[in-house]
Amino acid sequence: MRRSRGLTAALVLSLAGAGAGIGVVLMPEASAITQPVAFTADDLPTWQPNGIVFAMAQANGTVFAGGTFSAVRPPEGAAGTEQEAVNFVALDAATGAPTACKLSFTIGDGSATVRSLVVSKDQKTLYAGGYFGAVNGTPVSSVAAIDIASCKPKADFHPGFAATVRALAVTDDTLYAGGDFFTVEGEGRERFAAVDATTGALKPFTANADEPGRAVEVTPDGKNVLIGGDFFTVNGKNTHALAVVDATTGAVAKTYSNIPSNSVVKDIATDDNGGWYTGNEGSGGGVFDGRIGLNLSDFNEKWRDRCLGATQAVLPYDGVLYSSSHAHDCSTELEYPDGKRHFLLAQNTNWSGAAPAPVDGFVRSPGKLGWHPTANDGIGEGIGPRVMAVAEKNDVKYMWVGGEFTLINGKEQQGLTRFASTGDTGAPTTPVASASSVKPGEVQVRWRTSYDADDSKLTYRIYRNGAATPVATVTASSLEWERPQASWTDSTVKAGQSYTYRVTATDGAGNTSALSATASVAVPATVQAYPNQVRADGAELYWRYDDAVSPYTADSSVSGNRSGVQVNAPALKQSPGAITGSSTAMGLNGTSQQVHSDRRQTVGASYTLETWFKTNTTRGGKLIGFGNNTTRNSGTYDKHIYMTNTGRLVFGTYNGSSNTISTGLFETYNDNKWHHVVATQGAGGMTLYVDGAKKASSSVSTHQAYWGYWHVGGDNLGSWPNRPTSNFFAGQVDETAVYPTVLSQTQVKNHFDLAKAAAETVTEVSATEDTYVNQGAPSATYGTSTSLAVRGTSAYETYLRFTLPAAPAGQVLKSATLQIKTSTQTGAGTADTVKVVPVDGTWSGATTTFNTKPALGSQVLGSVSGIADGSAIHNVDLDTAAISAVLGTGYDVALTSAGTDPLWIWSSEASAAEGTPQLILTFGAP
């Protein structure tokens, strides 16, 4: 029998930096493995059978595995020779290699198999059940007892079971069995029986079932036996798949009627905290495939996990219920929708606080924890993992898993694998970061939280302008299927300057991801009116589609935790976008591309949908909507705006019937121009706006309540009125927002007007040529050098050439900044003041030397003092009037110094793109 020990964790909140954390609830700092999970997800080298493992047990650092196989071989790629192993193998828990114990389970007619293994409480005897007639030639009848010390079958223990034994449990004096049999020792015992653990003599215990038994477990007090299987009656009493019977007589003590008739119990386990748990499998509609947690005190249910996916084994350990299945749909548990199969899961055995209110008569299970080793369906029935056991050796604990799988964590590994309590080596995935700024003095740095197979709480470090020291540290939580955006606001930035940010993720063991790609942002000199108003009006999701890489769509809302996942690589950075002078858009192909939100949610009684679109499609498609799935068609879906084939817009909700309002018959919007559409629903009913004008309304004020995801660009449209040819939208989308309130007509019109108002334009101009001169080598040229130098004595001077754009129509230059980056060499910074001045003479990178250096102007355009050592980006504010006067021309500047401490910076030939010299020019209204 398996027991679980309690586990308590000390948790610490972590936040440091120059700004404020926004966007996620900050989570406790991670330990080596995020507690209460006790094992890494890193599989260890393990010998593997050439068939299926159905049974597993352990004693004193040795793991016993039984099933249907004939040999075992070394781990993939390891040296060694295949060894004979007839349906059984004993392995060292710490090395994964076979021990000297060799047992062959055979039968004269048919194929032998071992289906259950259990070890006596004194760790001296291994009991095996299955379908076999001999062990190492010693006659038995589907049940055997093995002396562990000598690795020999006990010849005087041979109770006669007339058919397959699928489950065993043992106390000090009794061995309980469940299976397909009708008789034991020639006496009637239907599917369940008990024999003396020493002699094998049949005991009076009688719990006759009408269908096979698959699970047996004795309660910790020894008074009752928990039985599971396919049955519908036990001792004539109606009880399906599960029952509690008296340990001595077999009399039924508790029946169950709330497991669906098309589901069975495959496994039962108890813990030391007063709980017991079932693993369930079924087929057909309304199936129950998950787990049940029950109380040993009264045998009543405390929670039910209704994930779909054939649970084969449950193992409570240290307050965590580990399970093997191929769970592919955990929608009922408010986790991941139908899709990818998850073969190994972990969840708390109990709710940490009060259990939630029942749903459909059942209390949901405690949520899944961050433990995600991967497997596959494998061979046989294609079930995947089937059995689990925990073994300990040399103070290290090992989780062993057996089954039908042929892959573990994407690598070839058949039938057996193991995970340790130490040695976490897997680093989190690299964060995908972005940054935006809509007003002076504030940059929002956002990233999709990373995934780590055994650490759900990760520490993120944000690095600004290439510095080696993080400017902020944020700790956030994520799971494989729930990776919400995390964000941090940098409130120390200056208007008119450009900044870069990179982010890393670190798990509790110190494994650190690579740096994210560089996210660049220019801080505007004045507030950007449209995005600032969207945020001010309370958008809880705001996708601007300025993302540079797939599959992450950043959320620019103030809360910053409703990021999106791009499906099938939509076209990014489409320009021009819908908003004058700033945002880019996303292109969608109309056949498979979309964006869905990254976390499940519900929608309140009041809400507003808003997006911009541009299309000439004649196949229609969904612009935005809510549905209960992500990449697969949703089965429940409404609160959507879609376009008909003719280009009309429809807003639809569902409250038992479909309710739609739409634009007029001749009001079509597939004219390849940008349009603004807004839909609201609340106490006042439904309203549809297009381009700032109200187009339709309805008194319908309710919609269907369910958990789901926001979709942009596609999802199911089922039989909705005027359904278009395509569920997917072909065209461009921009500036999508969802609000938890109803926007007024005035607010909607204001958004439309602000989008067309003049906005700031930020232009980054890279140096087209650069060089420096060196007084110490007066005839040398440095036009191809990757670094540039500035010093007064002995002199270095740096020259930069820019081709400046003219100001956009109706705008003037608001600010100009020279951006440089110190190199990585030791002492690249300087304690001196570096000035930026115009170049009056002529020069070229190929020919200019110290002897031929150009004359410089006397006007100081800008200066910077005391640049610290360490490679980092620095900004030099330049004289706006002076730069305005030379817009639309070529313009050269020099960097000079009067001191003796040199400054070394990257040139335009350097490989670090964010570090090459450039001018940041911000244009705006006069």
Side-chain angles (χ1 to χ4, degrees):
M1 291 182 287
R2 291 166 287 192
R3 296 288 184 266
S4 156
R5 301 188 300 278
L7 186 65
T8 303
L11 302 174
V12 181
L13 188 67
S14 173
L15 171 65
I22 295 178
V24 309
V25 177
L26 297 181
M27 301 299 294
E29 199 164 53
S31 60
I33 303 168
T34 302
Q35 296 178 342
V37 170
F39 305 94
T40 79
D42 303 319
D43 58 295
L44 298 173
T46 307
W47 280 60
Q48 51 195 315
N50 61 354
I52 300 169
V53 172
F54 290 107
M56 194 175 288
Q58 67 84 31
N60 304 315
T62 298
V63 173
F64 308 105
T68 306
F69 49 87
S70 61
V72 292
R73 64 186 187 277
E76 296 296 329
T81 304
E82 183 175 274
Q83 299 181 12
E84 183 181 62
V86 182
N87 302 315
F88 176 89
V89 63
L91 305 110
D92 185 285
T95 67
T99 70
C101 179
K102 310 294 183 184
L103 296 172
S104 295
F105 287 76
T106 57
I107 195 165
D109 185 19
S111 298
T113 183
V114 175
R115 291 295 178 131
S116 182
L117 294 168
V118 66
V119 172
S120 62
K121 295 175 71 173
D122 62 9
Q123 303 282 285
K124 294 181 178 180
T125 304
L126 171 68
Y127 296 94
Y131 181 68
F132 47 83
V135 180
N136 284 3
T138 299
V140 291
S141 182
S142 293
V143 170
I146 313 298
D147 178 71
I148 293 176
S150 63
C151 188
K152 293 181 179 180
K154 297 183 177 181
D156 56 353
F157 184 91
H158 45 75
F161 283 80
T164 302
V165 172
R166 299 182 179 275
L168 296 173
V170 66
T171 65
D172 290 332
D173 58 7
T174 303
L175 179 69
Y176 295 90
D180 301 347
F181 52 85
F182 287 87
T183 63
V184 179
E185 292 291 293
E187 297 189 31
R189 294 289 191 276
E190 299 177 15
R191 277 70 181 235
F192 294 97
V195 299
D196 187 280
T198 301
T199 67
L202 184 64
K203 289 200 168 189
F205 175 89
T206 302
N208 290 335
D210 61 331
E211 295 289 345
R214 298 182 182 272
V216 181
E217 188 78 0
V218 184
T219 57
D221 61 9
K223 294 180 180 180
N224 293 282
V225 178
L226 314 169
I227 61 174
D230 301 18
F231 52 80
F232 291 86
T233 65
V234 176
N235 289 344
K237 292 189 175 182
N238 292 329
T239 182
H240 175 52
L242 189 64
V244 181
V245 299
D246 183 271
T248 302
T249 66
V252 177
K254 177 80 173 180
T255 61
Y256 296 87
S257 59
N258 59 0
I259 296 176
S261 61
N262 56 355
S263 298
V264 303
V265 169
K266 297 298 292 288
D267 193 23
I268 298 174
T270 65
D271 63 21
D272 288 334
N273 297 320
W276 59 295
Y277 311 90
T278 70
N280 304 266
E281 175 191 271
S283 61
V287 68
F288 174 55
D289 261 354
R291 294 152 290 282
I292 303 175
L294 304 99
N295 294 309
L296 283 167
S297 58
D298 56 13
F299 304 120
N300 289 330
E301 184 172 318
K302 56 184 178 180
W303 54 256
R304 180 173 292 214
D305 185 324
R306 292 181 288 169
C307 291
L308 297 176
T311 303
Q312 301 298 304
V314 287
L315 197 165
Y317 183 80
D318 274 357
V320 173
L321 184 67
Y322 298 89
S323 58
S324 61
S325 67
H326 54 249
H328 57 86
D329 185 354
C330 286
S331 299
T332 58
E333 307 309 300
L334 307 184
E335 292 165 337
Y336 55 89
D338 195 10
K340 177 183 176 180
R341 293 189 169 198
H342 295 81
F343 293 91
L344 296 166
L345 295 172
Q347 61 199 120
N348 285 310
T349 55
N350 293 305
W351 285 93
S352 57
V359 177
D360 299 330
F362 302 107
V363 174
R364 286 194 186 98
S365 63
K368 305 301 184 298
L369 301 170
W371 188 66
H372 313 291
T374 63
N376 69 339
D377 293 338
I379 59 178
E381 296 179 49
I383 292 291
R386 281 185 172 273
V387 64
M388 315 173 82
V390 173
E392 182 173 352
K393 189 169 185 179
N394 301 327
D395 296 323
V396 178
K397 302 173 183 66
Y398 299 90
M399 167 68 77
W400 281 72
V401 180
E404 299 178 344
F405 52 84
T406 57
L407 294 174
I408 291 293
N409 290 335
K411 299 173 293 186
E412 291 186 8
Q413 180 67 28
Q414 181 172 338
L416 279 170
T417 191
R418 62 199 174 99
F419 310 92
S421 59
T422 61
D424 180 12
T425 60
T429 58
T430 302
V432 180
S434 65
S436 71
S437 178
V438 301
K439 59 185 178 182
E442 181 179 294
V443 168
Q444 186 188 49
V445 184
R446 303 84 52 96
W447 61 94
R448 189 185 189 201
T449 47
S450 297
Y451 161 61
D452 188 278
D454 43 31
D455 288 281
S456 57
K457 300 180 182 69
L458 302 174
T459 299
Y460 299 89
R461 292 178 174 86
I462 303 102
Y463 298 86
R464 185 173 71 181
N465 289 349
T469 302
V471 68
T473 300
V474 173
T475 305
S477 183
S478 58
L479 297 169
E480 181 184 12
W481 52 84
E482 185 174 282
R483 295 169 58 187
Q485 176 175 292
S487 62
W488 172 78
T489 297
D490 189 348
S491 56
T492 65
V493 295
K494 295 181 180 180
Q497 294 190 0
S498 182
Y499 295 84
T500 64
Y501 299 88
R502 303 182 80 178
V503 182
T504 63
T506 303
D507 66 17
N511 302 306
T512 299
S513 73
L515 281 162
S516 70
T518 300
S520 301
V521 61
V523 181
T526 59
V527 172
Q528 294 182 354
Y530 182 88
N532 188 65
Q533 195 61 52
V534 170
R535 287 160 58 94
D537 283 342
E540 66 177 7
L541 176 156
Y542 185 20
W543 296 344
R544 304 202 67 198
Y545 307 113
D546 294 331
D547 313 285
V549 295
S550 293
Y552 166 65
T553 291
D555 176 15
S556 294
S557 70
V558 173
S559 58
N561 59 9
R562 292 287 192 273
S563 54
V565 179
Q566 301 159 19
V567 179
N568 292 322
L572 305 180
K573 305 293 284 186
Q574 301 289 289
S575 186
I579 309 304
T580 301
S582 59
S583 174
T584 59
M586 175 178 287
L588 300 166
N589 62 10
T591 58
S592 62
Q593 295 171 341
Q594 60 153 309
V595 182
H596 65 78
S597 55
D598 205 16
R599 59 189 304 180
R600 188 185 296 264
Q601 67 173 92
T602 57
V603 179
S606 299
Y607 62 93
T608 296
L609 312 179
E610 177 179 41
T611 197
W612 290 78
F613 67 91
K614 178 182 177 182
T615 185
N616 60 1
T617 184
T618 57
R619 300 178 71 246
K622 182 174 291 193
L623 283 164
I624 181 172
F626 195 70
N628 70 339
N629 213 311
T630 53
T631 57
R632 297 187 179 188
N633 263 351
S634 293
T636 305
Y637 45 96
D638 74 333
K639 296 175 279 294
H640 48 206
I641 303 171
Y642 57 93
M643 177 175 279
T644 69
N645 288 347
T646 61
R648 296 173 64 194
L649 296 174
V650 181
F651 172 36
T653 66
Y654 185 83
N655 61 358
S657 61
S658 300
N659 307 287
T660 60
I661 55 176
S662 63
T663 57
L665 185 61
F666 300 106
E667 293 181 310
T668 57
Y669 300 93
N670 54 348
D671 54 4
N672 217 29
K673 298 178 181 179
W674 280 110
H675 294 284
H676 177 235
V677 59
V678 176
T680 70
Q681 187 179 31
M686 300 165 59
T687 307
L688 178 65
Y689 303 90
V690 181
D691 294 338
K694 181 177 178 180
K695 294 297 182 180
S697 63
S698 164
S699 62
V700 175
S701 61
T702 59
H703 58 83
Q704 188 173 9
Y706 57 94
W707 289 81
Y709 306 83
W710 289 111
H711 294 254
V712 170
D715 194 17
N716 204 352
L717 281 169
S719 56
W720 279 80
N722 298 306
R723 180 185 179 184
T725 301
S726 175
N727 288 341
F728 291 89
F729 174 77
Q732 294 180 328
V733 291
D734 200 4
E735 301 292 324
T736 299
V738 177
Y739 305 78
T741 59
V742 171
L743 293 188
S744 67
Q745 186 167 355
T746 299
Q747 288 174 303
V748 172
K749 181 63 164 59
N750 185 40
H751 287 196
F752 178 71
D753 292 341
L754 289 174
K756 299 308 177 184
E760 284 187 353
T761 302
V762 178
T763 302
E764 298 179 358
V765 183
S766 296
T768 58
E769 190 173 9
D770 53 37
T771 191
Y772 75 99
V773 295
N774 179 2
Q775 188 177 19
S779 299
T781 60
Y782 299 94
T784 59
S785 173
T786 60
S787 58
L788 305 168
V790 183
R791 184 172 62 190
T793 307
S794 60
Y796 298 134
E797 285 183 0
T798 284
Y799 312 117
L800 306 172
R801 176 165 291 143
F802 297 95
T803 300
L804 301 183
Q811 294 187 330
V812 298
L813 184 68
K814 307 295 288 188
S815 68
T817 301
L818 174 65
Q819 186 177 91
I820 56 177
K821 185 177 183 181
T822 44
S823 72
T824 53
Q825 75 179 63
T826 302
T830 179
D832 300 327
T833 297
V834 174
K835 296 179 180 179
V836 182
V837 299
V839 176
D840 286 346
T842 60
W843 63 276
S844 76
T847 63
T848 296
T849 68
F850 187 85
N851 289 333
T852 62
K853 66 187 180 73
L856 306 181
S858 59
Q859 181 184 10
V860 177
L861 301 173
S863 64
V864 60
S865 299
I867 296 177
D869 288 343
S871 183
I873 289 176
H874 300 276
N875 294 281
V876 185
D877 293 331
L878 302 182
D879 186 298
T880 304
I883 303 301
S884 294
V886 293
L887 289 175
T889 70
Y891 190 59
D892 300 348
V893 297
L895 277 64
T896 67
S897 172
T900 58
D901 187 11
L903 170 70
W904 289 91
I905 62 175
W906 292 123
S907 74
S908 58
E909 283 78 19
S911 59
E914 77 274 12
T916 60
Q918 58 182 344
L919 288 175
I920 311 299
L921 306 178
T922 302
F923 300 94

